[in-house]
Amino acid sequence: EFAAAARVAEPYCDAIDLNLGCPQRTAYLGHFGSYLLEDKDRQLVCSIVKAGAKAVQIPIFCKIRLLDRLEDTIRLCEELRDAGASLIAVHG
């Protein structure tokens, strides 16, 4: 449904931001935000980004948090880029 929401918002903004950086308890309980950054959810997250990028003509941005290992963070960024993310912001 991210793609549908992006299409609705597109005429009113310059980019769409997918916030994968929220570490709050409510994000944990709802399984969103930074709790989607684990390997088990990677295919889901990349499919969301890919669908959004296909649905609109404006950039898709992703906000993430650093993972435990730098190599894992780099791999995540590469996967998001390959899925269609135009910009990735990283919380330290």
Side-chain angles (χ1 to χ4, degrees):
E1 309 329 330
F2 178 72
R7 279 192 296 273
V8 170
E10 182 177 23
Y12 308 102
C13 57
D14 296 322
I16 303 292
D17 181 60
L18 178 60
N19 184 352
L20 298 167
C22 183
Q24 295 181 1
R25 177 119 175 104
T26 187
Y28 172 77
L29 295 173
H31 195 76
F32 61 87
S34 64
Y35 298 97
L36 289 173
L37 295 179
E38 295 181 22
D39 282 337
K40 67 179 182 167
D41 292 313
R42 192 65 48 80
Q43 185 176 359
L44 170 65
V45 168
C46 288
S47 70
I48 290 169
V49 172
K50 184 178 272 190
K54 282 184 172 183
V56 297
Q57 299 300 310
I58 58 176
I60 301 292
F61 295 171
C62 294
K63 184 177 358 176
I64 67 168
R65 290 202 162 266
L66 287 173
L67 302 179
D68 291 336
R69 296 179 346 124
L70 177 61
E71 297 82 12
D72 294 336
T73 303
I74 292 169
R75 190 181 83 229
L76 169 62
C77 290
E78 291 170 342
E79 291 173 351
L80 292 171
R81 176 203 61 205
D82 293 346
S86 297
L87 179 137
I88 300 167
V90 182
H91 284 275

